Amino acid sequence: GLTGRYLELISIHPAPKLYNRATEQMWNLPPGGELKPFGGQRCPLCNFELLILIRSAHRMNRAFPLCPYCYHTAAAAAAPALAASTRLEAPDDSVPFPLGLTAHPPPPDRSEVRISTHFSQHCPHPEDHPIIASSVACACPQTGESGGALVLDPRGGTHVKFSSSRANLVVELPAFVRSASIGAACGC
């Protein structure tokens, strides 16, 4: 967390939360996925330790890097608009929002990125967030016109995968490809 202390994962339905006992702060996390540590890596915006969010649906196993602080503050920043449209009470504005980021826009066709549990399967951060931008390979063939991108699976391993940030699309490279990394843009 922000204080350098270990946080407690509270697995409650529908969405898990991280809790700091020392400060009594709580951070909401995305529903419908498994969370794992990301090897001690930290977010360049807020210095919060990163997690890997793993989502499985319809035989598609997708993973995205997740900053709990940025995810929580983006959700808090988007909540007033959501509250106005759904007549819910908005949270207070005491949670700062990382500079230069906007709340993640909804996917173009929500039926495409939903599964039977009604949890969104798209990327938890906007494509311009540094932890996502550093993993983008190219525009998504299905949602590239609206800003969707193919994101390198952060888990690595023996099967290299790219997942769409906004659609139910997973591109798995052949087994002879052992690793992949994202380099500087080549201008192609």
Side-chain angles (χ1 to χ4, degrees), residues 137 183-188:
C186 64
C188 300

Side-chain angles (χ1 to χ4, degrees), residues 50-94:
L50 300 177
L51 300 173
I52 296 175
L53 173 64
I54 302 167
R55 293 178 161 159
S56 300
H58 306 294
R59 298 184 186 171
M60 286 194 297
N61 191 342
R62 304 157 47 114
F64 298 102
L66 171 70
C67 173
Y69 182 79
C70 291
Y71 176 82
H72 176 80
T73 55
L82 176 65
S85 66
T86 58
R87 296 185 185 151
L88 296 174
E89 185 176 340
D92 66 358
D93 293 331
S94 63

Side-chain angles (χ1 to χ4, degrees), residues 111-181:
S111 64
E112 249 183 65
V113 293
R114 295 276 180 179
I115 60 170
S116 59
T117 58
H118 302 293
F119 293 131
S120 174
Q121 293 296 304
H122 68 278
C123 185
H125 293 294
E127 289 82 2
D128 62 350
H129 190 286
I131 64 173
I132 301 301
S134 66
S135 300
V136 169
C138 62
C140 173
Q142 293 178 356
T143 61
E145 291 178 5
S146 64
L150 290 181
V151 180
L152 180 64
D153 190 314
R155 294 173 292 179
T158 57
H159 291 78
V160 178
K161 295 180 187 178
F162 295 92
S163 299
S164 173
S165 60
R166 299 187 186 191
N168 278 342
L169 175 67
V170 176
V171 177
E172 189 170 335
L173 299 182
F176 64 82
V177 177
R178 304 260 184 224
S179 67
S181 62

Side-chain angles (χ1 to χ4, degrees), residues 11 25 111 147:
S11 297
Q25 288 180 299
S111 64

Side-chain angles (χ1 to χ4, degrees), residues 11-31:
S11 297
I12 57 175
H13 186 72
K17 299 176 185 307
L18 284 178
Y19 178 68
N20 184 334
R21 288 182 187 264
T23 63
E24 295 187 2
Q25 288 180 299
M26 194 169 295
W27 293 273
N28 295 320
L29 297 172

